[in-house]
């Protein structure tokens, strides 16, 4: 008998734990009601790992992540660890996972649920039906470029250094992912950089264009400067289908795109590596939002982004697209029925706690599959 698929859960810090508690309910539901069963294990990352091991990601945890069929991460960071040395901050745990698992393609869908159109800071007509996919390069660029550091100068000043650097292969492999995704969507890729100012941006533009000419010209490719893209996202967001961009610009643009949909608390993401000889691809799934220390531990958080991240895992890592659909449809129904956590609360809706939202979702799953 084939063994179960493995899932490593890393709740992390802040609201990560309470959100993950709700995912556990969905995982149990999949096991009980759909016979979709996972070998679930749990470990520490971020501040939680610092408190236990003195480092934001223990080597054993890294090894387990490399072994797992998929990793589901909550969130990392919080004021408690803000003053630690840069090299052992909670965020370094997350960055180490991305780097050592070689998760170079970060998929951040910005999808506006009909029921949440009013929650957006933009006019309803601008965001209703919005469906953008941001493909963010995740293991290169200024996040990892060398040299980096803070150095003392002879004149008594200090100098902070980071390096924006991309190679041909780094650009091509993530662009490939964007073209493939566009093919299953509206067939359009907008590649975003600052080719007017940065050589790495110019190289990005040239390599993406070249790859487009090598068998991808069924896709409509356009290029845009990152500053313009940030403006266009809040002007006419629906002009975009797939946005392809580097690590830093992707970090910024994905927060903007997320807010268009009403709340950061709604958006999942998938980080994927390349497909190996056995057809397996390393993957980590995480909500786009952070650890929200201000509401952590109060059972107020919106668990839907983390639950939707698990749905993405079902689709991209476990080949259970049907179950992923079921979760996504149940979330849409819940929202339509006016169930809300505080971040997306609106007049006439029913305010739920984090755990109530988890329970409500499980009931919806029951109904949907009855
Ligand atoms: C994100 C976050 C991370 C990033 C932080 C927590 C390191 O903002 O996933 O968007 O900058 O990539
Ligand atoms: Mg970010």
């Amino acid at each position: 008998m084939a063994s179960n698929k493995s899932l490593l859960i890393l709740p992390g810090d802040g609201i990560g734990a309470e959100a993950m508690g709700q995912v556990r309910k969905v995982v149990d539901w999949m096991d009980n009601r759909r016979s979709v069963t996972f070998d679930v294990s749990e470990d520490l990352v971020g501040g939680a790992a610092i408190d236990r091991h003195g480092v934001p990601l223990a080597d054993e945890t890294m090894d387990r992540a490399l072994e797992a069929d998929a990793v589901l991460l909550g969130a990392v960071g919080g004021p408690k660890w803000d003053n630690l040395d840069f090299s052992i901050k909670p965020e370094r745990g997350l960055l180490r996972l991305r780097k050592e698992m070689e998760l170079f393609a970060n998929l951040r869908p910005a999808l506006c649920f009909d029921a949440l159109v009013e929650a957006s800071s933009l006019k309803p007509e601008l965001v209703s039906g919005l469906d953008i996919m941001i493909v963010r390069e995740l293991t290169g660029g200024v996040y990892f470029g060398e040299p980096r550091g803070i150095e003392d100068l002879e004149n008594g000043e200090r100098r902070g250094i980071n390096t924006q650097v991309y190679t041909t292969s780094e650009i091509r492999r993530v662009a490939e992912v964007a073209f493939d995704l566009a093919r299953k969507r509206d067939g359009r890729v907008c590649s975003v950089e600052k080719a007017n100012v940065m050589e790495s941006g110019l190289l990005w533009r040239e390599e993406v264009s070249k790859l487009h000419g090598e068998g991808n010209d069924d896709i409509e490719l356009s290029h845009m400067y990152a500053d313009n893209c940030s403006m266009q996202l809040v002007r006419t967001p629906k002009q975009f289908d797939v946005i392809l961009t580097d690590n830093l610009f992707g970090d910024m643009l994905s927060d903007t795109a997320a807010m268009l949909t009403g709340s950061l608390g709604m958006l999942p993401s998938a980080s994927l590596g390349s497909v190996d000889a056995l057809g397996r691809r390393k993957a980590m799934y995480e909500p786009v939002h952070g650890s929200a220390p201000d509401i952590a531990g109060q059972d107020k958080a919106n668990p839907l982004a983390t639950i939707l991240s698990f749905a993405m895992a079902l689709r991209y890592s476990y080949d259970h697209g049907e179950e992923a659909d079921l979760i996504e449809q149940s979330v849409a129904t819940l929202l339509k029925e006016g169930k809300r956590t505080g971040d997306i609360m609106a007049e006439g809706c029913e305010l739920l706690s984090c755990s109530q939202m988890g329970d409500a979702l499980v009931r919806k799953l029951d109904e949907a599959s009855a």
Side-chain angles (χ1 to χ4, degrees), residues 346-365:
E347 224 181 285
C349 290
E350 183 190 348
L351 182 64
L352 300 190
S353 68
C354 179
S355 51
Q356 285 171 334
M357 187 58 104
D359 293 338
L361 179 67
V362 166
R363 277 198 300 276
K364 271 298 142 233
L365 289 171

Side-chain angles (χ1 to χ4, degrees), residues 33 42 56 65 94 143 150-151 160 177 186 207 213 218 254 262 302 313 315 320 357 361 369:
R33 300 295 305 274
E42 196 168 311
L94 174 58
Y143 272 61
I150 300 179
E151 59 185 32
V177 171
D186 200 32
E207 292 300 334
D218 55 319
S254 62
N302 183 348
R315 177 169 294 119
H320 279 296
M357 187 58 104
L361 179 67
S369 61

Side-chain angles (χ1 to χ4, degrees), residues 78 88 104 132 138 157 161 166 192 211 215 224-225 237 241 303 309 311 346 364:
I88 56 158
F104 60 86
I132 300 176
L138 203 62
E157 281 203 85
I161 306 156
Y166 274 108
V192 173
L211 187 68
M224 197 179 272
Y225 297 140
D241 179 26
S309 298
K364 271 298 142 233

Side-chain angles (χ1 to χ4, degrees), residues 87-104:
S87 61
I88 56 158
K89 273 187 181 303
E91 289 78 3
R92 301 306 305 174
L94 174 58
L95 296 175
R96 180 175 177 199
L97 282 163
R98 290 175 179 172
K99 189 69 178 176
E100 291 191 25
M101 292 172 76
E102 287 185 81
L103 308 173
F104 60 86

Side-chain angles (χ1 to χ4, degrees), residues 2-164:
S3 62
N4 294 331
K5 296 280 189 186
S6 64
L7 172 67
L8 175 63
I9 290 186
L10 302 173
D13 308 317
I15 59 171
E18 52 211 88
M20 212 57 91
Q22 312 318 307
V23 172
R24 288 281 197 159
K25 294 175 184 170
V26 178
V27 170
D28 288 345
W29 186 89
M30 288 291 162
D31 184 15
N32 295 334
R33 300 295 305 274
R34 307 282 291 196
S35 300
V36 173
T37 307
F38 299 96
D39 284 332
V40 183
S41 54
E42 196 168 311
D43 211 331
L44 304 173
V45 67
I50 294 172
D51 289 350
R52 175 81 60 87
H53 304 296
V55 287
L57 187 78
D59 290 342
E60 305 81 73
T61 314
M62 188 65 242
D63 291 342
R64 291 170 82 181
L66 288 167
E67 287 296 307
D69 289 310
V71 177
L72 186 65
L73 184 135
V76 295
K80 184 176 174 196
W81 307 281
D82 271 353
N83 296 321
L84 287 177
D85 185 75
F86 201 72
S87 61
I88 56 158
K89 273 187 181 303
E91 289 78 3
R92 301 306 305 174
L94 174 58
L95 296 175
R96 180 175 177 199
L97 282 163
R98 290 175 179 172
K99 189 69 178 176
E100 291 191 25
M101 292 172 76
E102 287 185 81
L103 308 173
F104 60 86
N106 183 211
L107 279 43
R108 299 193 158 184
L111 199 123
C112 189
F113 285 93
D114 284 342
L116 289 187
V117 163
E118 298 291 336
S120 173
S121 48
L122 294 196
K123 297 189 192 88
E125 65 267 27
L126 289 182
V127 293
S128 126
L130 181 78
D131 180 1
I132 300 176
M133 176 68 87
I134 296 189
V135 179
R136 168 191 179 194
E137 200 291 326
L138 203 62
T139 51
V142 76
Y143 272 61
F144 298 98
E146 301 277 350
R148 64 183 300 158
I150 300 179
E151 59 185 32
D152 293 314
L153 301 180
E154 279 176 8
N155 66 3
E157 281 203 85
R158 297 198 302 153
R159 178 160 62 188
I161 306 156
N162 291 94
T163 305
Q164 168 79 339

